[in-house]
Structures are given as structure tokens and as C-alpha cells.
Amino acid sequence: MYHLIEETVEAIRHRIGDFEPEFGIILGTGLGKLVNEIEVNHQLMYANIPNFPISTVEFHTGKLIFGTLNGRKVVAMQGRLHYYEGYSMQEITFPVRIMKVLGIKKLFVSNAAGSLNPDIKKGDIGIIDDHINLLPDNPLRGSNDEDYGPRFPDMSAPYDKKMQEQAMEIARRNGVRAHRVVYVSTAGPNLETRAEYRYMRLIGGDIVGMSTVPEVIVANHMGLPVFAISVITDEGFHENLQPVSLEEIVRVANEVEPKMTDILKELIAMQ
Ligand code: HPA
């Protein structure tokens, strides 16, 4: 992997010159508009970056965007990879390793998620404090490269506490309903059965989604502080479960997106 990472970083540096991103951003399904607020210096199609995984159609149009957001230098991934699309865990997390080697100091992640907790409603914001990994695989499985991180990384505080507090404060000021949450990751692509939603609530989850955890594991492996924010798009309340569709999830994500974008923008400017 060392060789692949070096090759990719060298190719990217060749294109972006001396641009040094401070922060990395991964935007979730229906949550890509933050990218429009970046003053772009360089855009690289994933398809033109050596070793970037691009086997799905959606990802084929994905881009790595280098620019300035609220005065801070960032690199943003427009188009993220999911396990349900068939990518390996190593493929999903490869861009996180690349961004780290390019010099980012913190990683910001967003996603759409369903609520398991009756106090957390559709349209609310989740600030992730912890997670439960129910994915059937792990990006760190296989030989470990000690140059990148330890064999058995500590996960006692996988999401940066200070940034969580700052984000809750921004939400309070903006009058946005936000909650500190435990995120449960599932492989998907089907949504949960009633019994599965009940199980996820019982084991301690507040919200559930199909992304984020692989990237967060690798960020922790590399010692990169993480902030993750969720837009709550549906309510998986097992006592009274209503059918959920992806169209509805994307519709709500788009509707609630400005609340999330405002928090992320302010939070990044504060770092
Ligand atoms: N379950 C899993 N993933 C999701 C959901 C959900 O209810 N909502 C958005 N992503």
C-alpha cells in the first residue's frame, strides 16, 4: 500500500503544486452543496488520479476539489464510496490516507442517517460522539504498515470532543436542533427491518447509516482528528415504522442541508 499511496500523492502534488490543504472534507449523499462555497484552486477528476477506485458510474464523475473555504485551505471529496456499491474497505478509505499524506490536520465528514431515538426527529442534526460498527469487514484487516499507524489503534474517543462542543454551540446560536449521538453503521443497501431498528436502539444506537465508519477508523489509525455530522432523514422507530424510500431520504437531506452546511462552514473557520 505504501507504494500506491506514494504514487498517488506524487501525481496529485504534480497537479496542485504547492497548495497545502489544512482540512479534508467528505460529503454525504444529497449533501454536496458545501462544495459550491469553495473558491476552487484545482479540481482533479478521480478518473485521472492514479489508483483511485472508480468502478461505479456515480463515482466516475467524482472529483477531488482543492480550494479555500472561509479563508481556510481545504480538500473536498465530491462523491464518496459506499461498501454496498461493492468497493473493498481499503478502496473506500484510500482517499482518507491520501488526504492525510497531503497534509490535512483534521477530517470533516457528513452523512444522511435514520433516527433510532424517539427524541431525535427527521430534520434534526446529529453530532457524532461515538459509533458501533456493524459492517462485516474492517479497513485495517490484513497486514499493518506501522509507518501509517498501530496494529491495534485506540478507539476510546474516535470523534474529537472539542469540535463536537464547538458544533453544538454553533447549532444553539443558529437555533438548530442538534444532538450528540451514537452512529450505528450498517452495510445496506436495504433499509432496516423493524426488528433490526429495535436491535440497533437496544444496543445503544441513536442513528443509523451506511457510511462514515470506515473512513473514521482509518482517520483514527493515522492519528487524524475527526468531526462527523449527520442529517436525520427518516425515523426508524420500531413501534410505528413507516415505509422509507431513498427518494424521501435524499429529499429531506437536500432540505436540511443548509443547516448542516452552516455548521460545517463556521466550525472549519474556527479551527
Ligand atoms: N437506515 C440506514 N441508512 C440510512 C437510513 C436508515 O434509516 N437513513 C439514511 N441512511
Side-chain angles (χ1 to χ4, degrees), residues 216-244:
V216 171
I217 290 173
V218 164
N220 274 269
H221 182 240
M222 301 185 96
L224 191 57
V226 179
F227 174 78
I229 184 167
S230 301
V231 167
I232 311 305
T233 53
D234 55 289
E235 298 174 347
F237 303 151
H238 56 87
E239 291 95 348
N240 177 31
L241 188 62
Q242 306 298 318
V244 189

Side-chain angles (χ1 to χ4, degrees), residues 112-116 183-184 186 188-192 197 200 208-211 231-236 244 246 249:
S115 178
L116 304 163
Y183 177 94
V184 179
T186 175
N190 60 284
L191 292 150
E192 287 64 46
Y197 279 123
M200 290 171 177
V208 52
M210 302 176 197
S211 66
V231 167
I232 311 305
T233 53
D234 55 289
E235 298 174 347
V244 189
L246 192 75
I249 288 173

